Amino acid sequence: MKNISGEKLLILERRYKQATLVSVVLIGFVIVLGASLSLAQITPIGLARQTVDALWVGVIFLAGGALLVRRVRNRWDFIKDTFILKGLDGTMCRLRNDVVITMLFGVGATVLGVVIFLSDGVRFDLLRAILASVVVMAVSFPRKNIWKRIASE
């Protein structure tokens, strides 16, 4: 890995801090939401079983979709093309946006898990959806050494 100049390092640090802040806030939101709802006493609203099953399919698609989007958007040729067209700042901005998009997929899976929990009142369903969401978010969390490698290329 080549050394990174001062200006490039400032751009990298700024965009990385933004991505990390958004990631930590969203992961914290999911965990606090799950903890508070798992302790709450609710009256189930009683959706049809087919509706709950469709919501579970939505959770699976959001979790899998987040991993697929991350895989597709972080291809090396896409990153090189962005660097050629927009420079380092544009590339770091794109990486930050990709992190935010995949984190929001995880939040969407959590919201569907909350709807499932409110419909049937089973806490384990909520915890399963939150676990899937946190796993997706942990995989999507920005890694500074990879961002540095991209900036030095």
Side-chain angles (χ1 to χ4, degrees), residues 48-58 116:
R49 190 70 213 161
Q50 293 86 2
T51 306
V52 173
D53 291 343
L55 291 172
W56 273 116
V57 170
I116 292 168

Side-chain angles (χ1 to χ4, degrees), residues 48-100:
R49 190 70 213 161
Q50 293 86 2
T51 306
V52 173
D53 291 343
L55 291 172
W56 273 116
V57 170
V59 169
I60 292 168
F61 273 112
L62 282 173
L67 299 175
L68 182 66
V69 164
R70 181 179 183 275
R71 178 76 177 147
V72 168
R73 300 274 300 168
N74 285 339
R75 286 191 3 228
W76 186 244
D77 56 340
F78 274 12
I79 293 170
K80 284 194 311 189
D81 292 343
T82 304
F83 188 81
I84 291 169
L85 293 173
K86 297 182 180 177
L88 180 65
D89 192 41
T91 305
M92 293 299 128
C93 185
R94 182 178 162 270
L95 288 173
R96 181 204 57 206
N97 292 343
D98 291 347
V99 167
V100 171

